[in-house]
Amino acid sequence: MAVYREAIPGPALDTPSTSLEAHTSAQGSDSGAGRLSFYRKLCYGIGGVPNQVASSAIAFYLQLFLLDVAQIPAAQVSLVLFGGKVSGAAADPLAGFLINRSRRTGSGRLMPWVLGCMPFIALAYFFLWFLPPFTTLRGLWYTTLYCLFQALATFFQVPYTALTMLLTPNPKERDSATAYRMTLEMAGTLMGATVHGLIVSGAHGSHRCKEDTLPGEGAVSPNAVSAVLSTPMWEWVLQRFGKRMSALGICAMVPFAILLAAVPMVPVAYVVAFVSGLSIAVSLLLPWSMLPDVVDDFQLQHQHGPGLETIFYSSYVFFTKLSGAGALGISTLSLDFAGYESGACRQSEQVVVTLKVLIGAVPTSMILIGLCILMVGPTPKVPSRANSRSLGRRTSYTLA
């Protein structure tokens, strides 16, 4: 049985290379160049699937459950969702700080957090879909549970993703392990949305316009499928042409987004969704692949030993959530100012124009600005094997 255990790294800068080489030489097939077997990459990737399944189901259907099943007023539902998002965002820097300050154990410093959070996440998720017998305090009940779930999920996700730094000193193998993780996590997201969608579609008759030709709950989104299928391809492109050149793949959705804004038809929407999935895959894979290089480069320049991984990873997750929340808020306010009417089959011309700007001009501008920053910014130096040894990291997997 495979047991995940993060080895305790030695001193940051003065660890004798002979002891580290002796340690890595005992790793069997993963020795020498720090290669990871397919089995270990697969097991690492599977570790993030349950959390993504749960998070996907909550993102798509919690609001519907609170409104139609729990019968909570819309104002309280907004408070529940907002409180959960704030809790998750606030937990990111706190998780990075606490994990970085925690003591090392026989299983390392990260794995106790990963394993310790799992049962509590499962309990919080179960009671989040539980209908309590009382009605007056249901808003408080679901706010507490959703905030707890988001915080616990953060305390799981930060050390889990930071384990990439400790799997192997080989940058290419880290990128490969990241691709496995991203592929399986996106598959988990698709699974959560689809399975729960089938349940919802069988028990909930949603309002649909007569001329509506788009699929309802339980339908598989083309962009999600293409993102899952194209991640291994982007990992190969990243290894073959480098990370800067791979970033150009994000531009694939730009002409199609403009096409959808100009020709808002259902067949065009499906094509745009599929191509957008290709861009989404590389836009998700690339930052996670660059993050280990950034951490190594920082530690080599500032002579820091291992231990800062969680700070970098939690900071990245925090700003990702912050930007996502900002984009959602801006788009919602824009539609509100344009006169959007919830549930209406036909919207005003101002709403149509606003939607075209939000799906065409805004993403195109953000993508081009981000690519310009990436192209002109400094490139983190990939550490050599000697520098990797000086960082004092050891592989985080052992077999028992």
Side-chain angles (χ1 to χ4, degrees), residues 54-98:
S55 298
S56 174
I58 289 174
F60 279 97
Y61 303 111
L62 180 62
Q63 183 181 26
L64 182 64
F65 172 80
L66 295 178
L67 288 172
D68 292 357
V69 180
Q71 297 292 314
I72 296 178
Q76 294 186 22
V77 172
S78 299
L79 182 61
V80 172
L81 300 178
F82 177 77
K85 294 297 183 182
V86 171
S87 175
D92 286 311
L94 181 62
F97 175 78
L98 292 179

Side-chain angles (χ1 to χ4, degrees), residues 339-344 347:
Y340 177 81
E341 297 180 9
S342 178
Q347 301 290 342

Side-chain angles (χ1 to χ4, degrees), residues 178-246:
T178 300
Y180 274 78
R181 176 175 67 84
M182 296 302 302
T183 301
L184 291 170
E185 284 186 345
M186 284 188 283
T189 300
L190 181 61
M191 185 188 308
T194 304
V195 173
H196 282 75
L198 292 174
I199 298 173
V200 171
S201 63
H204 178 266
S206 60
H207 168 73
R208 295 175 65 85
C209 301
K210 294 181 179 180
E211 65 273 18
D212 191 1
T213 57
L214 294 176
E217 295 98 340
V220 178
S221 176
N223 64 342
V225 175
S226 61
V228 173
L229 297 178
S230 63
T231 300
M233 177 199 73
W234 284 119
E235 195 272 335
W236 177 83
V237 173
L238 186 147
Q239 298 282 4
R240 179 65 177 83
F241 300 101
K243 296 175 181 177
R244 278 192 170 177
M245 293 299 298
S246 300

Side-chain angles (χ1 to χ4, degrees), residues 21 24 33 54 72 91 107 122 132 159 166 174 215 256 259 286 311 355 377 383 388:
E21 291 171 353
T24 55
I72 296 178
S107 299
L166 306 174
R174 289 178 185 170
F256 291 91
L259 176 63
L286 187 60
I311 300 295
L355 284 172
S388 297

Side-chain angles (χ1 to χ4, degrees), residues 51 87-96 99 117 121 148-160 314 317 321:
N51 190 39
S87 175
D92 286 311
L94 181 62
I99 296 172
C117 288
I121 293 176
L148 182 62
F149 174 84
Q150 289 287 357
L152 289 171
T154 297
F155 275 86
F156 167 85
Q157 191 69 14
V158 168
Y160 168 69
S314 62
V317 175
K321 291 180 180 178

Side-chain angles (χ1 to χ4, degrees), residues 50 74 121 136 175 177 199 201 251 303 308 387:
I121 293 176
T136 56
D175 294 343
I199 298 173
S201 63
C251 296
Q303 298 299 303
L308 297 178
N387 289 334

